[in-house]
Amino acid sequence: MARWADGESGRRDLRMLPAALCLWAAALATRAVLPQEGTASLQEGAGGMRGLAVVLCLGASAVMFASVHGVHAWLRHARAGHAPPALRCASWLLVCMAAALTGAFATAVATTHDMADPAIRMSRTGSARATVDIRTRAPALRSASRAAACTVHASTRAVQIGAVQTGGVRMPSDVDVRVLLPDALCMRVVQGGEYRLSGTLARAPWDERTLQLTVAAADADTAVVLRAPAPWRRAVHTMQRRFFAVADGLSDQGRVLVPGLTLGVLGQDALCEGEPVDEVYASRLEEGCRRAGIIHLMAVSGGHYALLASAATVLCSWTLAPRWAVAAARAAAVVALTAVLVPSESITRAVVMHLFALGYVLLGRREQTTPLLLWTAIVAIVIKPARAADFGFALSCAAVLGIALVSGPLAAVLRRWLPRRMADALATTIGAQLLTSPLQLLMQPQIALWAVPANLLVAPWMDMATVCGLGAYTVSWCMPTLGFALAWCASLGTKSVEIAADVFGADDGSAQLAWPSDTAGALRLAGAETLVVLIVVLLRAMARLRDDMSKQCTAVSGRRIGASPAPFVRMRLWWERTWAMLTCLRWRPRGPAHAGVARHGVRHADRRRDGRREAGRRRNGHRRAGRRRRARRRRWGIYARSGEAP
């Protein structure tokens, strides 16, 4: 039982994993079954459809409540720790069914809401001229399309068909839109502001579900600021602009990678007033990182928040702060970091997960990664079902789940063969790649063969580069010289990314393995990985069985059989003993020039003098004993010759 007790860990609590997977699958299935064009005939009854969806969602919640209540009532009739298998299966099925219903109905509500939106209905028949009130949700970035200079993610507030001068009807709207802006408006748009823009409203050519507003250069003069962004938003905008200006003084790889590692925005995508980044070099570097399997380093995820939360916890521990103070400090750090970063779905996952973790801090318990991740995925998808189809959110969740489940046991095995830090880094890389590889196939039909060594090469430098990059981002607005120094230090860490991209991402066909990029290909890769994991688990079980048998043989015969340490353990023991032998050697001084010998030499001389004295005492004792024996023999010889008793 001790082995099972040691293996039981809250970080591997998978009780909510089936529910999360069912909810995710139901959201994707509902999204596929109810496309936007499929409800075109329900335009007139959109209000009734919305009410029906709300009723269905409430019904799903009622099913979940009834399921939980029924399982709780059923558990009263079972002994503690001895629930029958039928009860466990029934409770598992009820919870999964309730989660699937919740995901399906939440997706139906979101789809119906989008169908009733005027902007979606306007763009269903094709492109239309409209005046749209938007609220920007991210900073403006360079556009890959030649039709615009920059692009910005926003949400609509109102839509008016035609121009403002025609006096058309303005209707409220609330959907996500991608805005393509001309060069004259790129520097004027700030995250968090509300603007009125005139342009062409249509569906994006690469995705029918994405709404796109294209503002021509002739319409730049008609742009109106409805509500200026908050002061702290303008301050963040200034910090970003100053940071990009400081990064322009770095080398080419620093200009590309330092903003990417710090903010998740590559240097060629950032808006700056200086000379733009060489597009050929930037494209080659980005493609090399993709082939080497390290492109995820350019997306901000939980690493930034983990570093900041750890720093806040350490500072509070130095001051002996109570739990509520630690939770407040971590919450403030998470909110402040979220305010200055460029929004993305991976950041959303990290924010929700760290906010949920504050409950563990307040209760004084150790954080449990897997339950936090599963509840984060459930809540995030229910709030916004479109996240179920977002690759960034899926990759972030898969990477964290793989690290939580695989890295611990794998690191324990690798530590027998490798140094501790190398084993931990290798286990973390393999755990993340194990679950994210099938998802990456859906985006790119190749498998990065050198992803593990490439990540091992760059992993030791990423924390240092991230800290220096965030420091440069923090001080560049007021101290550009210090900001440039920190950014230069960060570029030293990102140099390893360029080396890994050149070495492991070479364009010679040896860096990637061709693989089908459809769903069947992803399932095949997942099956192959599952088979490998089963083989590893079987080998580990056989090793445990061998250890148990050797222990039994030791208990019976007193001699241990087949219990030799691992090669790395033997090498480490040899080195420790050799180092101890070399450090314990004491050298004897020679000649009168060494009269002022060091203290350890004096101690060594004292030991030698004491040894000589002890040897002299032993010799003297042996001599006295010999004299006594000889005297005794002489006396016995005299008595024997005279015939007298001794």
Side-chain angles (χ1 to χ4, degrees), residues 569-583:
V569 177
R570 294 197 296 267
M571 292 174 59
R572 185 177 61 187
L573 293 176
W574 174 83
W575 172 250
E576 290 178 354
R577 294 172 182 174
T578 304
W579 180 256
M581 180 188 69
L582 293 175
T583 54

Side-chain angles (χ1 to χ4, degrees), residues 519-532:
T519 306
L523 293 178
R524 292 174 190 172
L525 181 59
E529 291 178 348
T530 304
L531 181 61
V532 172

Side-chain angles (χ1 to χ4, degrees), residues 79-80 126 178 207 258 291 322 346 415 421 430 432 453 455 458 534 547 558 599 604 616:
R79 292 184 300 168
R178 185 182 180 127
D207 187 9
V258 171
R291 287 193 295 265
S346 59
R415 286 171 190 166
R421 293 186 178 180
I430 295 177
N455 282 274
V458 303
L534 291 178
D547 294 341
R599 187 173 181 180
H604 189 63

Side-chain angles (χ1 to χ4, degrees), residues 62-424:
V63 170
M64 179 178 288
F65 178 77
S67 302
V68 174
H69 181 72
V71 171
H72 182 266
W74 200 353
L75 285 175
R76 294 180 180 178
H77 302 285
R79 292 184 300 168
H82 294 82
L87 174 60
R88 299 179 183 178
C89 294
S91 61
W92 178 74
L93 291 175
L94 285 174
V95 172
C96 291
M97 181 181 64
L101 287 174
T102 303
F105 294 144
T107 307
V109 170
T111 304
T112 307
H113 175 269
D114 292 342
M115 290 305 98
D117 193 272
I120 297 294
R121 291 184 297 177
M122 187 185 307
S123 61
R124 182 174 292 114
T125 58
S127 60
R129 183 74 179 178
T131 301
V132 186
D133 296 346
I134 65 169
R135 182 179 181 182
T136 56
R137 299 172 52 189
L141 302 176
R142 291 189 184 276
S143 176
S145 175
R146 296 183 179 180
C150 63
T151 179
V152 61
H153 292 278
S155 58
T156 59
R157 288 292 178 261
V159 177
Q160 179 178 344
I161 301 177
V164 180
Q165 293 80 5
T166 59
V169 179
R170 186 174 301 277
M171 295 172 290
S173 175
D174 186 13
V175 292
D176 295 339
V177 61
R178 185 182 180 127
V179 185
L180 301 179
L181 299 174
D183 195 8
L185 294 177
C186 290
M187 296 300 178
R188 294 166 52 186
V189 174
V190 181
Q191 180 182 355
E194 295 186 7
Y195 305 90
R196 178 171 297 170
L197 304 174
S198 298
T200 303
L201 192 63
R203 303 293 179 88
W206 63 87
D207 187 9
E208 288 294 330
R209 296 179 180 272
T210 302
L211 199 62
Q212 181 174 289
L213 176 65
T214 304
V215 181
D219 298 326
D221 297 335
T222 62
V224 179
V225 179
L226 299 179
R227 179 180 296 177
W232 66 273
R233 284 289 188 188
R234 292 196 294 270
V236 171
H237 181 72
T238 303
M239 290 175 60
Q240 293 174 354
R241 294 284 301 278
R242 298 289 178 83
F243 175 68
F244 292 143
V246 166
D248 284 342
L250 301 174
S251 60
D252 288 340
Q253 67 88 14
R255 295 179 65 185
V256 175
L257 298 178
V258 171
L261 183 65
T262 306
L263 300 180
V265 178
L266 295 177
Q268 65 269 23
D269 298 331
L271 290 177
C272 57
E273 299 177 356
E275 190 71 20
V277 182
D278 186 4
E279 295 184 1
V280 177
Y281 171 80
S283 301
R284 182 178 61 83
L285 180 60
E286 186 177 359
E287 187 63 26
C289 292
R290 184 176 289 106
R291 287 193 295 265
I294 54 177
I295 193 63
H296 62 277
L297 297 175
M298 302 301 104
V300 178
S301 187
H304 292 61
Y305 291 90
L307 289 174
L308 202 61
S310 300
T313 304
V314 170
L315 290 177
C316 292
S317 64
W318 285 349
T319 58
L320 301 179
R323 296 174 185 170
W324 63 267
V326 178
R330 293 182 59 171
V334 169
V335 172
L337 184 59
T338 306
V340 300
L341 292 180
V342 178
S344 65
E345 293 298 339
S346 59
I347 290 180
T348 302
R349 193 274 313 161
V351 171
V352 177
M353 192 170 175
H354 278 80
L355 291 179
F356 281 171
L358 298 180
Y360 289 94
V361 178
L362 291 174
L363 295 176
R365 298 184 59 186
R366 182 176 297 179
E367 298 179 11
Q368 299 178 358
T369 306
T370 305
L372 279 175
L373 174 65
L374 297 176
W375 280 109
T376 297
I378 291 173
V379 173
I381 293 177
V382 170
I383 293 176
K384 187 179 179 181
R387 292 193 179 101
D390 189 272
F391 280 105
F393 185 78
L395 288 173
S396 180
C397 293
V400 175
L401 183 61
I403 292 173
L405 296 181
V406 179
S407 63
L410 184 59
V413 175
L414 293 176
R415 286 171 190 166
R416 293 175 52 87
W417 303 84
L418 300 173
R420 184 181 183 89
R421 293 186 178 180
M422 184 179 295
D424 294 344

